[in-house]
Amino acid sequence: MPRFFILLPVLLLGACTYHNSRSSIVVVTDTKSVVENCKALGQIDGQDSSQAIMPLDKTRDSVVARLKIAAAEQGGTHVFATAADIKWKGPDTKGTVYKCNP
């Protein structure tokens, strides 16, 4: 049992996701009209195995952060995903990446 308490901070730190400047400007939305005039780039998933031990509000934050990072890696500016809803309770962690012109 004591080993678990030693490993717990390591597990929680491993679950952290950090934005860079590109991912910080990505918008995650659950409003289809925001992305209706944008070009779809593909599907992504914000799921992570460590989310099973995280509180629900932290899980949502983690999913949104992972969606932003994945979208930025594909050159997207927006993600359409149900996780954008503040009332999101899972389990859907997928989203569609869009490139919208400014």
Side-chain angles (χ1 to χ4, degrees):
M1 185 71 150
R3 283 187 178 171
F4 176 74
F5 291 113
I6 294 170
L7 292 176
L8 185 59
V10 173
L11 290 172
L12 293 177
L13 287 176
C16 295
T17 306
Y18 297 100
H19 290 287
N20 59 31
S21 60
R22 285 186 353 204
S23 64
S24 294
I25 62 170
V26 172
V27 175
V28 180
T29 183
D30 64 340
T31 306
K32 191 67 172 172
S33 63
V34 172
V35 295
E36 68 185 9
N37 294 321
C38 305
K39 178 183 178 190
L41 300 179
Q43 298 290 318
I44 56 174
D45 194 345
Q47 179 65 34
D48 181 46
S49 60
S50 64
Q51 292 167 346
I53 61 170
M54 293 170 33
L56 191 57
D57 60 336
K58 296 298 180 197
T59 299
R60 182 184 170 275
D61 292 345
S62 178
V63 168
V64 170
R66 289 180 187 284
L67 289 170
K68 286 183 166 198
I69 291 168
E73 289 172 354
Q74 291 186 14
T77 58
H78 290 70
V79 178
F80 178 73
T82 59
D85 185 350
I86 196 70
K87 297 175 194 165
W88 178 87
K89 299 207 183 315
D92 185 15
T93 58
K94 293 178 174 45
T96 304
V97 179
Y98 289 88
K99 173 84 173 179
C100 302
N101 293 330

